[in-house]
Amino acid sequence: MGGGGDAAVRIGVVVFPDSNSDVDALNALAVAGVEPVRLWHESPDLNGVSAVILPGGFAYGDYLRAGVIARFSPVMRGVSAFAAEGGLVLGICNGFQVLAESRLVPGALLRNRSLRFACKLVDIKPERLDSPFTRAATGKPLHIPIAHGEGCYYADEATLDELEANGQVLFRYVRSDGAPALDPDEPANPNGSLRAIAGVCNAAGNVAGLMPHPERMSETILGSDDGMQLIRSLVISAAERDAARGPAIVGGTR
Amino acid sequence: MSDFRYAVNVLPKPGILDPQGRAVELSLPHLNITTVSRVRVGRRVELTVTADSEAAALALVDGLAKELLSNPLIEAYAIELLEATSSAVSWAAGATQP
């Protein structure tokens, strides 16, 4: 219970072939004091979890386009159904790419403008603090890592305007002074993302994706626990959703 | 049933930044080439469909191109019929592939 979380809350982390940040995500959930549950890609059964994380990595080798093969995996049938009934789904890095290819969040992730794999610390700022994914955030920029080759957020102008109007832009890359890195070629915008978008959510607000890795900054021993602001947000939202649904009927093994 | 061999050519849509195309273009001066522009880099997928008719095969490939082989948000595709062969001749034995 180190994170002040609720041990009755169970949050799933999907493991695809070539997921590599699943262990970090499972650890971050344990740090937050909830029960992490591994969900294997070959089963659509989400095992009754209260929220789902699609972790970073290179699902199915990222062949064809990052995230597209994963879209057609059995577990994504379960995740899509879960999302459709309002379940909370957070895609991180490759998980964001999977959500975008699955059309569960708007837009697409293009090859980085630099053509280089970008692996470094960046600053991102939550655009709103009333979403299920940011409610425990301070509102100050988070200093967290990225590690991706295809993270350049793209949507057409009309869609971008719509996202902004609906409050669906959850995170932007920011400069050291906290201003959004709107120029796709400036260093604080690590991949050329349009309007400096680092993360978005769907219109209903229950499915979100971001390129940076909050789960890799989950403990001060790792350099910072900035990322826990987002993990805790997810945990609180999942617990609230559980409570709203009433006590779960359990067989005594929980 | 017959076999139909197709190529699906996928390219970034006009207006979508294509850093690979740009990188190729920027290398051209090193070859003393100044007359080449608008380089776009895409992907080509070749596949064989077994179907009752060419129309049925094309419909299947078109669906596949939309759903899997391209992302319609960012990419355009074009389908090319490479050749139709009788199902009695295996593709591997055909050996006429360029």
Side-chain angles (χ1 to χ4, degrees):
Chain A
M1 299 291 284
D6 183 346
V9 174
R10 299 164 69 249
I11 296 185
V13 176
V14 174
V15 183
F16 294 110
D18 281 345
S19 287
N20 63 17
S21 219
D22 48 328
V23 176
D24 305 64
L26 292 162
N27 175 65
L29 292 170
V31 170
V34 297
E35 185 186 336
V37 179
R38 286 165 58 98
L39 299 173
W40 187 236
H41 66 106
E42 283 181 341
S43 168
D45 180 6
L46 301 186
N47 202 358
V49 296
S50 308
V52 175
I53 294 179
L54 303 184
F58 302 87
Y60 299 90
D62 271 359
Y63 290 124
L64 202 56
R65 287 184 311 280
V68 69
I69 311 273
R71 174 187 174 193
F72 299 100
S73 62
V75 74
M76 286 307 293
R77 287 205 306 273
V79 170
S80 296
F82 180 70
E85 63 190 36
L88 297 166
V89 181
L90 175 64
I92 299 171
C93 194
N94 193 224
F96 185 13
Q97 295 164 337
V98 174
L99 289 177
E101 280 290 348
S102 304
R103 292 152 209 184
L104 291 174
V105 293
L109 284 316
L110 302 177
R111 182 74 68 96
N112 294 349
R113 248 173 115 88
S114 64
L115 280 177
R116 292 193 195 94
F117 189 92
C119 185
K120 61 178 184 177
L121 285 157
V122 298
D123 292 310
I124 60 165
K125 194 160 177 280
E127 286 288 297
R128 52 187 295 179
L129 302 177
D130 58 350
S131 90
F133 305 94
T134 56
R135 57 193 293 170
T138 63
K140 296 203 182 83
L142 309 175
H143 196 54
I144 56 178
I146 54 163
H148 60 248
E150 289 97 8
C152 175
Y153 186 79
Y154 172 84
D156 62 39
E157 285 296 312
T159 305
L160 291 171
D161 289 341
E162 197 183 308
L163 296 184
E164 308 227 33
N166 294 344
Q168 287 175 253
V169 176
L170 285 189
F171 304 99
R172 284 187 219 267
Y173 300 105
V174 294
R175 302 176 192 143
S176 51
D177 65 1
L182 295 173
D183 177 351
D185 285 317
E186 69 180 289
N189 184 335
N191 46 33
S193 288
L194 296 182
R195 303 195 194 179
I197 292 172
V200 296
C201 66
N202 63 347
N206 64 308
V207 181
L210 79 167
M211 288 313 297
H213 284 279
E215 80 291 6
R216 293 189 187 170
M217 281 301 191
S218 58
E219 297 177 76
T220 49
I221 196 172
L222 299 172
S224 159
D225 61 357
D226 273 7
M228 284 309 286
Q229 295 177 25
L230 307 187
I231 304 295
R232 287 210 175 86
S233 299
L234 180 65
V235 167
I236 293 167
S237 303
E240 201 172 87
R241 197 174 136 76
D242 277 3
R245 283 189 304 188
I249 299 158
V250 286
T253 52
R254 208 121 120 200
Chain B
M1 299 287 268
S2 302
D3 283 355
F4 302 89
R5 184 84 183 154
Y6 289 96
V8 181
N9 298 304
V10 182
L11 276 176
K13 278 187 174 169
I16 299 277
L17 176 76
D18 172 22
Q20 288 189 93
R22 193 173 59 169
V24 170
E25 202 163 318
L26 290 173
S27 77
L28 297 176
H30 303 301
L31 298 166
N32 294 321
I33 293 171
T34 55
T35 50
V36 171
S37 60
R38 298 167 67 198
V39 179
R40 307 289 277 171
V41 175
R43 175 188 324 117
R44 177 181 172 94
V45 180
E46 294 188 0
L47 46 85
T48 298
V49 183
T50 305
D52 286 332
S53 66
E54 194 186 323
L58 182 61
L60 191 148
V61 175
D62 192 61
L64 199 54
K66 272 198 191 73
E67 189 80 352
L68 174 67
L69 303 179
S70 77
N71 179 340
L73 276 183
I74 51 175
E75 293 168 327
Y77 67 88
I79 297 170
E80 206 181 303
L81 178 65
L82 297 180
E83 71 181 75
T85 57
S86 152
S87 57
V89 182
S90 86
W91 172 252
T96 50
Q97 193 178 12

